[in-house]
Amino acid sequence: MSAGSAIDLPTWRHRHLLDVDRLTWPELETLMAVADRFATATADPATKLDVLRGVNVTILFYEASTRTRVSFEIAAKKLGADVVSVTATGSSVTKGESLIDTVRTLEATGTRMLVMRHATSGAPYLVPAIFGGNVINGGDGWHAHPTQALLDLYTLREALPAPVGSEAGSKAGPGAEAAWSLRGRKVAIVGDLLHSRVARSNLWTLTAAGADVWACGPSTLLRGFEAWAATGAGGRHFTATSDVDAAIRDADAVMTLRIQKERMAGGLLPSLREYAATYGITRERLRGAKPDVLVMHPGPMNEGVEIAPDVAEGPGSLITSQVHNGIAIRMAVLALLDAAGPVA
Amino acid sequence: MTDLDLSRVWLVDPGRGREGPAELVVRRGVIRAIRWLRGPEAEGIDDRGIVVAPAFVDLHAHLREPGNEAAETIASGLLAAAHGGFGWVGAMPNTTPAVDTPGSLELLDRRVLDAGQDLPPGEGTPGVLAWGAVTVSRAGEQLAPLAELAGAGVVGFSEDGAPVRSAAILRSALAYAGMLGLPIVDHPEDHGLTEGAEANEGLVATVLGLKGWPAAGEVAAVARDIAILEDVVRDVPAARLHLTHLSVAGSFELVRAARARGLPVTCDVTPHHLALSDEWLAGARRWAWEALDEAGRRRDPWVDGALVAEPYDTATKVNPPLRSPEDARACRMALRDGTADAIATDHAPHAAIDKAVEFGLAANGITGIETALGVVLAAVDAGELTLARAIALLTVGPRRVLGSSLGPDRIGVGQLAELVVFDRSTTWQVSPGTLRSLGKNSPLLGRALAGRVLLVLHLGRVAYQDGGGAER
């Protein structure tokens, strides 16, 4: 049942994946190409590779998650790793064991790769200084969700091949696949940008791919993004607007974000009902988009709030593909970081 | 007592508004002669070498004892202050328990005496200026015994670490402290706007996904405080308000306008708010004035190569947070034009255990009393402040905020020497080993700062003397 390690990995200079902000476009292309190879190699669900044989991968989640945790577990197991999943109910805020002590303990028990989810922005940045292995950010606070952005990009690459005769395609000739990008494609990210690590990570990767990105939400949930869009900081050029119809107009893809009930208590939204009525992605609202518009959601969904059920299950929905593609992308990340080696 | 001959130095006497080549003679701790040098005698002496000035006065420091001796003790805090060039240290009352009774003040005084007790003759520690709490246990509900505290020697009152939350309490406190001839020091923060905040609201917080502390959280509180002061001074003309660690442009506009109306309001700025900016949270380590281009626009640290450190360094987490480069510029402008009266360190040491945690959970504060001079001199080197103004902001500025309690402003013959001697031409390395404070939570670790302090005299005694090359 186990296949040999026939997969020859390209060189990779990053030991950790804490954010996507410093990944170059060629690096993103590399990641997706490696994911392609893992997807093919493990097309038969019974196949297990030995790329990470003997490597202890610990999945340390300080925050509830189903799909990301399970996806990492499956990815690591398909690569032949030994996987331990730790769900921490508290954090150092409860004056229990500190994050640093927890990581030291995990390293002492043999952890070589650590996948971490934490409710506090920046938490995984504490780890490299005290941990000899590789760190993968599985989502930190409002800051970043690197593998989600990577799987989103990968899913768009699958669903939006470069149009035949496009500039990139014609120039590249037979090797056109390598020249895929989102140039000329409009992607709208709609919802609670302020609290969204998915949105922040996607801003980096989608703009790196050349997409025309529109960040859209009610002004209270878009706070800060208008100024970011206005300055183009980080070399990221995108549009921020509260006008959902303008954001969706002629979009190739619409990415919806989860709206959390806590936002009402914080005085940021009057009600979920009002949000659904004004920003919910419905079939009717999507009429302004391209006819074959694609719809994405990082999950978990509040159907009937940020996304209508018939849209989530409709023909343009990529939501199932996103979940499926997450495995290949996470395999690519785990394998490349491992190849980059632990810190000496 | 101390004998000292300071020849061929650059003497800065902000009380007289005078600086230049000079020599000073100190005998038995008393200044016996001051001679300003002219002509050939002055040749080769400039303000870039050895500088002598009045020892600095810090309006705002946290000495942590009693209650958090892992972060700092009075003894270690005084050592740090002396290393920073300070002769007087204003100790904030937010200890555990708070300094809210004459009894708690006695404990503080006793610890200060203990810190100096075993020193050889001729040596001493910097002096402590105690701030008393405004309310009992700093709970914000009932006025502390302000008159008794005044009688026991406090220099004023503050809830620092937090604002005086209730407008009604602030109004009473300003009136009552005004009657006693003492200022209320407020930490202006509207908690409704800052609850859970992790970083200055702005581009950096947006990119890093940190909860924003909006400028309005400070400006709204400053506006409230000034409105209340204006109300109180009508009946109590001696009422005084001092706003500490102002950090955003809008606050200075309000203070400027209030002063123009003749209101008795003063304010201070910290070294970190004038010289650092929020891009340090993202990993930049350049001075705030370097973060703006020639046209005064913010540079983009994500593309111009300024991000040299890892993001989320908890040593950069402080309250109020490091602000935008434009706000830092407004701080320097206020310091130049006199809107701000003093540079105060808000020295806030923390034990490693309170900083070696997730950014959002880390304690707020920067250990800053030892790096203040170096940071301010960096601003002087960049042409952002003159040396004379910088020194005034560390000496006569804070003295005027305190009133006349510290004796004469000017350096004069016959006084007990209250002096700092530092060398602008040598640097020292900021490191856990060179910092005397128990708190090593400085974002400047690893950096060389100019202005090595060679000597501090406080009330005629040596509070600090440079030991040689160990810090280079």
Side-chain angles (χ1 to χ4, degrees), chain B residues 152-398:
Chain B
V154 299
V155 293
F157 307 95
S158 181
E159 300 281 83
D160 186 70
V164 180
R165 280 169 209 253
S166 152
I169 292 276
L170 177 65
R171 186 165 180 241
S172 298
L174 279 166
Y176 204 95
M179 169 183 84
L180 304 169
L182 294 176
I184 296 290
V185 176
D186 198 30
H187 154 132
E189 175 176 357
D190 183 329
H191 278 254
L193 288 168
T194 63
E195 198 188 339
E198 298 169 301
N200 177 48
E201 185 168 286
L203 188 60
V204 171
T206 300
V207 173
L208 295 186
L210 293 172
K211 182 160 192 217
W213 200 128
E218 178 175 301
V219 180
V222 168
R224 179 201 77 159
D225 288 7
I226 289 173
I228 293 168
L229 176 69
E230 193 152 22
D231 177 78
V232 170
V233 287
R234 275 196 292 271
D235 300 324
V236 186
R240 281 191 289 141
L241 170 68
H242 180 76
L243 297 165
T244 192
H245 55 52
L246 293 190
S247 63
V248 296
S251 296
F252 299 111
E253 285 169 27
L254 290 175
V255 170
R256 215 168 264 136
R259 297 254 278 235
R261 295 202 299 282
L263 290 178
V265 56
T266 52
C267 66
D268 68 62
V269 171
T270 69
H272 47 272
H273 287 115
L274 73 92
L276 276 48
S277 73
D278 58 0
E279 64 174 31
W280 283 51
L281 277 66
R285 287 293 179 270
R286 62 186 167 193
W287 299 116
W289 47 87
E290 296 166 346
L292 296 170
D293 66 16
E294 296 74 18
R297 281 182 309 252
R298 188 170 190 155
R299 295 181 199 271
D300 184 347
W302 287 276
V303 299
D304 70 8
L307 302 183
V308 295
E310 287 299 322
Y312 304 101
D313 179 353
T314 58
T316 64
K317 192 180 180 208
V318 61
N319 189 30
L322 297 180
R323 298 292 190 180
S324 70
E326 293 90 337
D327 283 320
R329 180 178 55 198
C331 288
R332 298 191 300 275
M333 181 105 66
L335 291 164
R336 276 198 300 270
D337 74 12
T339 303
D341 304 86
I343 293 171
T345 70
D346 194 6
H347 176 65
H350 285 291
I353 194 173
D354 293 319
K355 282 289 196 180
V357 294
E358 297 87 327
F359 192 87
L361 308 179
N364 279 309
I366 289 175
T367 186
I369 206 163
E370 293 169 84
T371 53
L373 173 63
V375 168
V376 171
L377 287 176
V380 172
D381 286 341
E384 296 285 331
L385 285 174
T386 64
L387 179 67
R389 180 67 188 148
I391 288 182
L393 288 162
L394 288 163
T395 55
V396 294

Side-chain angles (χ1 to χ4, degrees), chain A residues 18 21-22 91-93 95 98-100 118 120-123 125-126 140 142-143 200 204 223-225 227-228 231-235, chain B residues 198 201-203 205-212 282-283 300 302-303 307 309-312 314 353-361:
Chain A
L18 302 180
D21 61 341
R22 292 179 209 188
S91 67
S92 56
V93 77
K95 288 288 171 196
S98 75
L99 173 59
I100 285 178
H118 201 288
T120 306
S121 296
Y125 286 83
L126 272 176
D140 65 322
W142 307 349
H143 169 240
R200 283 182 178 79
W204 293 101
R223 188 173 287 150
F225 284 83
W228 187 356
T231 57
Chain B
E198 298 169 301
E201 185 168 286
L203 188 60
T206 300
V207 173
L208 295 186
L210 293 172
K211 182 160 192 217
D300 184 347
W302 287 276
V303 299
L307 302 183
E310 287 299 322
Y312 304 101
T314 58
I353 194 173
D354 293 319
K355 282 289 196 180
V357 294
E358 297 87 327
F359 192 87
L361 308 179

Side-chain angles (χ1 to χ4, degrees), chain B residues 88-142:
Chain B
W88 288 105
V89 186
M92 280 297 167
N94 63 332
T95 47
T96 314
V99 179
D100 61 353
T101 60
S104 47
L105 189 61
E106 267 171 41
L107 180 103
L108 175 66
D109 288 340
R110 200 158 52 235
R111 286 280 186 280
V112 175
L113 287 178
D114 289 348
Q117 198 163 38
D118 296 329
L119 297 174
E123 291 186 26
T125 68
V128 169
L129 306 165
W131 297 102
V134 177
T135 63
V136 173
S137 302
R138 295 175 62 247
E141 284 165 12
Q142 191 187 338

Side-chain angles (χ1 to χ4, degrees), chain A residues 149-160:
Chain A
L150 295 172
L151 74 87
D152 288 341
L153 187 65
Y154 187 59
T155 302
L156 283 170
R157 173 169 164 274
E158 188 178 68
L160 284 175

Side-chain angles (χ1 to χ4, degrees), chain A residues 259-276:
Chain A
I259 293 291
Q260 289 174 327
K261 288 201 181 71
E262 300 93 271
R263 305 307 167 221
M264 266 67 68
L268 296 171
L269 278 182
S271 69
L272 287 184
R273 188 192 47 74
E274 177 160 310
Y275 180 84

